[in-house]
Amino acid sequence: MRQSFLNRLLTLAFIGVFTSVAVAGETNSSAGAGELASLLESYESYQADFIQIVVNGNGNKVQETRGSLKAKRPGLFYWETSAPLSQFIVSNGDTVEVYDPDLEQVTIHNLDDRVQSTPALLLSGEVDNLEETYRVSGRRIGDHTREFTLEPRSPDSLFISLRLTFFKGELQEMRMQDSLSQISILSFDRIRLNEPVEASAFTLEYPEGVDIIRDGA
């Protein structure tokens, strides 16, 4: 079964296996948000391949997809998953277009406050308001790994918690839990950080004749 657009957007998270090494003390929310913002602000662009796994509340895998993504400041984002669950998501900073080849359908969403706070857009948007939007805690795992957990302050958030893992400053993994205890797990590979990306990479092409639906129309 295909996920809804918001579910799909929210499942932009990469996760890995946690090690059992000793961990340094956690930072408070303000310090954690500042450190995370500093890391993300150093990203002018981010490109990677990924594996996405969705696990239900019982710990059973219910879906696995592969794909690639590109993000570039300010606000540019491209997400593609491969068959048999082929889907394309592109954001220009103002709207998000979702193309479903199997359904021959394109849905266009405005970037309202709820969508703007989703994990996908942390890589392509401004992060100055992290402390206002999330409670952020951070910890070190070994010498080179830094982990941050984000809990939305808004009761209307589309997810409960998001965990970001960086290795030597590169975002490697994410894990997101929703209100139904479903966990979305993504793992990045072939990471290209701050390499040039043409603006044309953030356009969505689809055949003539597809249904175009505007959110709220």
Side-chain angles (χ1 to χ4, degrees):
M1 180 181 296
R2 287 190 176 275
Q3 295 171 301
S4 69
F5 157 70
L6 288 178
N7 242 354
R8 174 66 69 181
L9 187 58
L10 284 173
T11 55
L12 289 174
F14 303 163
I15 185 72
V17 177
F18 295 102
T19 61
S20 58
V21 298
V23 175
E26 292 190 357
T27 61
N28 60 33
S29 181
S30 180
E35 186 175 355
L36 176 57
S38 180
L39 276 171
L40 292 176
E41 283 172 347
S42 70
Y43 287 17
E44 292 299 322
S45 69
Y46 184 95
Q47 303 174 76
D49 297 335
F50 63 81
I51 299 174
Q52 174 184 275
I53 296 173
V54 180
V55 179
N56 64 20
N58 295 323
N60 299 318
K61 182 171 70 174
V62 296
Q63 182 176 308
E64 178 177 328
T65 54
R66 295 173 183 266
S68 63
L69 67 83
K70 302 179 180 72
K72 182 179 180 179
R73 296 185 184 279
L76 300 177
F77 188 83
Y78 177 91
W79 158 276
E80 174 182 348
T81 55
S82 305
L85 293 175
S86 180
Q87 191 175 52
F88 301 83
I89 300 174
V90 175
S91 173
N92 63 6
D94 296 317
T95 61
V96 177
E97 292 181 276
V98 183
Y99 171 40
D100 231 321
D102 291 345
L103 299 179
E104 298 183 342
Q105 178 177 291
V106 175
T107 307
I108 301 175
H109 302 262
N110 291 323
L111 276 178
D112 60 20
D113 290 340
R114 294 184 79 207
V115 176
Q116 285 178 333
S117 66
T118 57
L121 300 183
L122 285 174
L123 293 174
S124 60
E126 297 302 323
V127 292
D128 292 339
N129 64 343
L130 271 177
E131 172 64 12
E132 299 174 11
T133 308
Y134 305 102
R135 288 181 291 272
V136 183
S137 60
R139 64 176 187 168
R140 296 187 181 278
I141 303 176
D143 293 332
H144 303 296
T145 301
R146 196 77 173 90
E147 181 183 279
F148 297 89
T149 300
L150 287 69
E151 298 177 325
R153 295 185 182 276
S154 170
D156 297 326
S157 175
L158 295 165
F159 64 99
I160 293 175
S161 68
L162 172 69
R163 183 174 296 170
L164 311 179
T165 303
F166 295 79
F167 180 72
K168 293 185 176 180
E170 284 191 352
L171 180 62
Q172 299 275 335
E173 304 168 346
M174 288 170 138
R175 169 183 293 207
M176 190 195 67
Q177 182 175 355
D178 65 22
S179 59
L180 299 177
S181 297
Q182 180 172 275
I183 297 175
S184 298
I185 300 169
L186 292 88
S187 300
F188 296 113
D189 189 20
R190 296 183 64 238
I191 298 168
R192 286 88 70 199
L193 185 61
N194 292 335
E195 291 185 3
V197 188
E198 295 293 332
S200 59
F202 302 96
T203 58
L204 188 58
E205 297 183 0
Y206 38 84
E208 292 185 9
V210 300
D211 291 332
I212 298 178
I213 302 172
R214 292 188 178 274
D215 192 27

